[in-house]
Amino acid sequence: MKKINFNTRSLFALPYVIYMFIFVVVPLFMLFGFAFFGENGFSLDEATAFFTDCSQWATIGRSLRIALTAALSCILIGFPLAYIIAKIRSKTVQYMILMALVAPMWINGLLRTIALKELSTMINFEAGETLLTLGLIIDYLPFMLMPIYLVITGIPKSYLEVSADLGASPMVTFFKVVLPLSMSGIISGFLMVFTPAVSTYYMSEYLGNQSTFMIGEQLNIMFTKDNKSGAAVIALVLLALVGLSVFIANCVSRIGNNKKQGGLA
Amino acid sequence: MGLTFVFLIMAIIYLPILLLVFLSFSDGLDFYVQLFTTSEYMSAVGNTLLIAVVASVIATIIAAMAATGILYMGKRTRAVTMAVNQLPVINADIVTSFSLVLLFVSVGLANFGLLKLLLAHILIALPFCLLTILPKMRQLDANLIDAALDLGASPFKAFTSVIIPQLVPAMLQAFLLGFTLSLDDFVITQYNNSGVPTISTVIYGAISRRDIPDAFKALTTIIFIVILIVLVVMNLNAARVRKGIKINRKLVAGILAGILLLTGAGVIPVIINNLTPRSMVLKVYNWEDYIETELLDEFTDSYREQLAKQGVPNADKFRIEYHTFADNEELYSKINTQHADYDLIFPSEYMVEKMAQDGLLQTIDMTRISDEVELDQSILDRTKPFTDVYDANNNLVANQVWAIPYMIGTLGIMYDTRVIEKMADETKIDLDKFETLLTQYGFGVLFGEGGTTAYEGRITMKKSARDSIAIAMIYSAQKDNNPSGEIKNAIYMDQTDGAGNYDNRLLQNIINMNGDYDIEDARKVLMEQIITMDPTYENDNGKKSFMDPNDDKFAYGLFWSCDAGLAMYELMEESEDGENPLRYYAPNGTNLWTDNFAIPTYAQNTDAAYAFINFLLDDENAARNIDYVGSQMVAVGEAIDDLKADYEVPDDLDNSSADNVDGIFNPDINYACTVFPNADNVTYAAIMKNFDAQKEKAVNTLIVEVQNKNAQHTEDAVNSVNWFGIIIIVFASASLAWWLIYKLTHRRPRLKPAPLLPEHKA
Amino acid sequence: MAKFTGEKIIELKNVVKIYDKEKAVDDVSLSIKKGDFVTILGPSGCGKTTILRMIAGFEQPTEGAIYLEGTDVTKVPPYKRNINTVFQKYALFPHLNVFNNIAYGLKLKTVPDATAKKGYRLLSQEEIKEKVDRALHLVDLADYGHRDIDSLSGGQQQRIAIARAIVNEPKVLLLDEPLSALDLKMRKEMQIELRRLHKELGITFIYVTHDQEEAMTMSDTIVVMRDGQIQQIGTPKKIYDEPQNAYTADFIGESNIISGKMIKDNLVEFFGHQFPCTDKGFKPNEPVDIVVRPEDIKINPREPQFEGTVMNVVFKGTFYDITVVLDNYELSAKNTKSYNVGDKIMMSIAPDGIHVMPKEAITNEYKTEIVGENTITIGDVDFEFTPTAGETFAKGDKVIATIDFDKIELTDDENEGQISGNITDMIYKGKYYQVKIWLDNDTALIVDTPYDWNTDDRVGLVIKKEDIKVRHDEKD
């Protein structure tokens, strides 16, 4: 028999491991429990009800579309933003700008969402998919900005110099060196924006209209109406969507790096 | 060029915030005074800060320890740990929150209030803290801790004397990140809150009924100023560093002390509040904006006096803890799953029934209601079915009720005369015609009767399942009986009992889907409505669109009388001539709703609860309350009669008379008619009953289905493709595909040639 | 000062350490005499540092026991062992200055004191200062106490690290590649310095390095390790002159390793010639490895034994390093005379210059089981094989698959191989490289390859099905 060799120093992680087990792993299993075990034991009723309703698929598709638009727009805005900030000479100015971009989060997200709604009403900008997408972009931009910024500042200056030395124009250097090396930041940023966007409920409630009904809202309705098993099924669907996006992101980054690499961020 | 872009983005991000900053001064410094003097707001701010600080401090410490431990884990254990760490980072907030709810409910921790929020907020911060600290930890020489152990330090000593000092900058970063995420969070707090007011829950409670509380506009300004100060301090500190002055530890300590002091200022009142004995606190859980707030203070004073007279020590410590909720289900889950210890709650009629069935209510002893209190018997007659208490042998228990009605009102149609008139050319329906249609078709106008299909896309329905489905049931029954869709000959309007009085049992069956009536009736008309009317399902905040003079989107919609009253009142207050463009009309054959006083099983201070009920039912207090809230109360008395006279409430009114333009549709008295339902409204109305699990599920499923279909239909019908989204997605997928193909076809061949010379190792 | 009483101070008994199912230390028994300077020598990943860490107490053996002066200390945590360590990159505490770094251990130390309440007390400020000053003096860095760690050079940091360890007066001082971060000149100086300290302090030094030269110049005893096992223990001279196997020979000093076979006692055949030697006890015609030190190859001797062509000559100061090609082998020789490239030269090797050692293995014998028709698994991947006539296999049968070293092809891209693994060690055998590859399920295959790889390279392996010979595992 192999005896378990408890290394004393890894015990420092014990509070963490216990906490994560209780508050992350166990609840995850409970989701499965509530989704598939009703009062009469195992039952697929809720899941079947969900998947056989074709309007649900439309909702999933709509949520994906809105979240994808928001996340990709965040890349289009966040990447140049991070690049510009990283290129500023003074570190202090860099930190100040980052701080200024992240600090609005000290004001509660719900409050900012409603403030945006007020603003849009004031300038007669109709609530709907565009406003919702805009809200998602504004709210989650920091989550895109930070990982990309960290990756870009982590690229050794010598790489850029080598590239220039080998005759690459700044443009070519950007596309051949900076962009590929920032890929990991872009991917984790994408996931950090996509996930909350695809599952949002209060944003679509306040910024959207009747044609932006999203899957997060659906979960919220189920939850507030105390339909725990229905909500659990939707939660699992969301989990699967997120898992799928992580999987795709990992595949992309693996192919991008030409080697086996697990994990993200 | 580059910086212009940065500042442009910054401007867009800050614009909504600056709007709030601007609005915060619209009443001088009043909002600030409000923020600092309203105990609900202060305790919300205090709780939020307390949770954010404590949770992120704990998370930072656990993460620092974990980072140390993870370095020494085996490869696989570490891989698993890191994967689990990614879960909450990547997982959707709403899924995390919901799974936490399941956990807390299952282990019976549901009513742990602050502690529970703390545990949940640690989860928000912890994975990010670890991700912040771990890279710094990796940069440390892995042998440092070994060196300390080697020199005789115990593991704990090694951690505190060697690791912690090295990690301080990273830990500060982690703390800041955790603090930020905790402040930002709404979803996890909302889902796991059992009666602890925080900034986000207070806002949520408030906006569903009215608007961002003014005080929070002031709070936004304060936070904005803090952000500015932080930026200035960063700049100043950098200037010092540039000048070669080492980072000023005193300054850092000063800032930290400042933050702690500020937190303390917010937190200490909360702690002091928590120290008050429970018998000195009345915990009330009510709908937002559903009470004249001055009455709360007055009650506090009068009850203190009363206690002092009784010789209760520390009588002046008595206070009310007043929390608000947004819907019945929220109330139910707080009491049922979280066992919140409120002393007085305000459930609606069907919720009283449900809670009584589930054993969540104590009966109210009518003998403890003061003799001076006079109640409107006609209303009590209507509420009997759900307030009456029966013993085990099914005999009526005298002088005991499950609940006493607090406010009553109707479900009806609110319309914006401005929009109706503006659309008249297009719809061929002028205001008079529209009002005639209202009396003729009742709720039928929501379903396109009488040519109202011209309002396609300009009407609202309620996301609240019971209400939308109830009126769909009424309309369906009306149409089946009378294909013209007119209300006059609807079957439920001609029911009489033996004595020739109206018998509402049929209507009751319709609303509650009993007898021949089932949910399929509602499904059919609601699905048709999607196609003919393209309604917007709104969640309580729809009235704001009606109240906005610039917003012409909606012509009319389904509303509760209290909401309509509130909207009209606000507009009257705002306008110079005291007029408003909104009107409310409740057709005959509607739903009569009541919100009721009830005492939950878990209540701990029933004495104060009774005192508070008596206080509010006192006719003078009730009159003030009605005036403020805009809804009728069950109390009657001289003061209320005076109020009615003041409002010019007509004594008799033919609710269904189309010619009655001088009556209910008269701009001068429409508001009064909204506040005080007329006799017809009360007579020709049914009260919602609690649904069994099956029916409840059916209505909730239907409302989701309707919204799904509605969104789908609008998407198809509007035919306005979201080009922006499509272009972005196509562009991104094309570049991704190109890149992948490029990568896959350009793999570096790597084969090493045989060496000419052997390479010996040194 | 130094007492060589022959008394054992450290003893390891059958120590095994497993990390993630991988045996880092495999059944090691070792005893170390008091006052000795012992070097544990081996390439990275051979388990030498793990042994050191187990002696220090940072790791606990999975099996076996460790004794300090006869007491079992296997489970005693490091902070309760009177052993101190000098770490690879010094591990000085960056937030403390030199004085406080050295004083760190002293401040935690208690001394018996009858007058104190608890019977012991902490050291006083004066005592600590005195001890720290003495230690600083010993490493020639007096007056450096107030300095920041960052302001010191690598050599100075090294001395502080030593001072920090010895100030606690340990019974054993462990040194984990302490000189690896220094430049060559500094390293030489520190080697002398360490010898001096060892003499002056008279305590036991256990020194871990992968640098054979360092080991040779400093130690009383060398322990050669490979793959978690001890290969040889002995004085530097003994290990150089009488390596026990090809591995040790390859690792200690330069050597030519040649495949050959033992004709009979005292006669060995390689390069197609027969050579007299001093080794005996092998089976007739047994395949063996022959180790010949470059300096043992005599060029143009009086009695030449074989011929070769000079391919390359490099001047090394006092001698020439000559590469000779014969029969596809590249042979390294040392000579004081230079030759021209392309010259044909005659050579001989004296019998005591030939070290014959048994081959570690001559073919891969991989224990596995049948998972399908003519299919076995190697490293969790299914492989088809061509069964020998008459043999039948059923699913689940325990079998041994034999694959010759040269029948496995390595590919650079792991995805092109049927299976992949990491190269852990590599020996040049004149004609080819012999590499050991650990597969992902922690089994190993040995491969002969013409290409030069790097250790830790990740490679793909291709094995043809006709090259896999399978037989039943008789023992099972």
Side-chain angles (χ1 to χ4, degrees), chain C residues 122-186:
Chain C
L122 292 171
L123 288 173
S124 70
Q125 291 290 335
E126 293 76 38
E127 284 170 308
I128 290 175
K129 186 166 175 357
E130 195 197 316
K131 280 175 192 278
V132 171
D133 284 346
R134 208 187 314 142
L136 277 171
H137 208 267
L138 206 56
V139 294
D140 285 342
L141 287 176
D143 304 332
Y144 273 71
H146 62 283
R147 295 274 290 265
D148 269 352
I149 293 302
D150 298 342
S151 69
L152 301 182
S153 72
Q156 287 168 333
Q157 291 193 19
Q158 175 63 78
R159 285 160 199 256
I160 300 300
I162 294 169
R164 186 177 68 176
I166 60 178
V167 78
N168 301 298
E169 295 157 19
K171 286 183 178 140
V172 180
L173 184 67
L174 307 178
L175 301 107
D176 183 8
E177 308 217 18
L179 308 184
S180 59
L182 299 178
D183 61 39
L184 185 67
K185 191 162 162 280
M186 204 67 197

Side-chain angles (χ1 to χ4, degrees), chain B residues 379-560:
Chain B
I379 292 173
L380 289 185
D381 287 344
R382 299 301 304 270
T383 59
K384 269 173 75 68
F386 67 86
T387 57
D388 279 352
V389 179
Y390 293 89
D391 65 13
N393 303 324
N394 228 10
N395 295 321
L396 188 68
V397 181
N399 283 329
Q400 296 288 331
V401 292
W402 287 119
I404 301 172
Y406 169 60
M407 297 261 169
I408 67 157
T410 52
L411 202 53
I413 290 163
M414 179 163 81
Y415 55 102
D416 187 337
T417 52
R418 255 179 336 103
V419 181
I420 300 276
E421 275 164 356
K422 214 179 254 182
M423 290 178 70
D425 289 345
E426 186 191 325
T427 57
K428 310 281 177 245
I429 299 170
D430 62 9
L431 188 57
D432 283 346
K433 174 86 188 294
F434 181 76
E435 284 165 352
T436 313
L437 290 177
L438 278 178
T439 52
Q440 211 171 340
Y441 295 103
F443 290 119
V445 297
L446 288 168
F447 296 87
E449 292 289 355
T452 50
T453 44
Y455 294 102
E456 183 184 347
R458 313 293 286 265
I459 68 159
T460 65
M461 292 284 285
K462 285 251 161 268
K463 273 189 181 170
S464 165
R466 287 296 305 257
D467 303 284
S468 281
I469 290 171
I471 67 116
M473 293 296 298
I474 293 173
Y475 168 67
S476 165
Q478 166 184 331
K479 201 174 146 204
D480 285 349
N481 176 244
N482 183 1
S484 76
E486 289 198 23
I487 206 168
K488 287 256 157 66
N489 303 318
I491 38 163
Y492 53 81
M493 293 295 294
D494 52 22
Q495 303 288 307
T496 44
D497 59 15
N501 292 325
Y502 178 71
D503 176 0
N504 77 346
R505 273 179 294 181
L506 181 63
L507 187 58
Q508 201 74 35
N509 277 346
I510 293 170
I511 274 192
N512 294 304
M513 305 188 323
N514 287 328
D516 298 336
Y517 302 92
D518 69 25
I519 193 158
E520 289 311 313
D521 304 337
R523 182 194 308 276
K524 192 161 153 261
V525 296
L526 286 174
M527 290 296 170
E528 274 167 17
Q529 185 196 32
I530 287 171
I531 294 162
T532 55
M533 297 305 284
D534 188 21
T536 294
Y537 279 80
E538 53 89 16
N539 192 7
D540 293 10
N541 56 347
K543 63 177 172 291
K544 281 172 71 185
S545 170
F546 282 82
M547 286 161 68
D548 189 339
N550 297 320
D551 194 337
D552 287 346
K553 174 126 203 243
F554 300 118
Y556 57 97
L558 178 66
F559 280 92
W560 292 295

Side-chain angles (χ1 to χ4, degrees), chain C residues 266-268 274-279 305 349-352 354:
Chain C
N266 298 334
L267 191 65
V268 64
Q274 293 188 345
F275 295 85
C277 64
T278 55
D279 301 88
Q305 285 170 308
I349 307 168
D352 61 356
I354 294 172

Side-chain angles (χ1 to χ4, degrees), chain B residues 545-607:
Chain B
S545 170
F546 282 82
M547 286 161 68
D548 189 339
N550 297 320
D551 194 337
D552 287 346
K553 174 126 203 243
F554 300 118
Y556 57 97
L558 178 66
F559 280 92
W560 292 295
S561 56
C562 58
D563 257 6
L566 196 65
M568 293 163 149
Y569 180 79
E570 295 262 309
L571 288 180
M572 289 191 295
E573 291 279 288
E574 276 168 27
S575 73
E576 281 157 19
D577 51 7
E579 284 181 10
N580 84 87
L582 300 183
R583 305 280 180 273
Y584 174 82
Y585 175 74
N588 285 347
T590 183
N591 160 241
L592 185 72
W593 55 260
T594 64
D595 292 328
N596 311 277
F597 295 105
I599 302 178
T601 321
Y602 308 109
Q604 293 186 31
N605 195 358
T606 48
D607 291 347

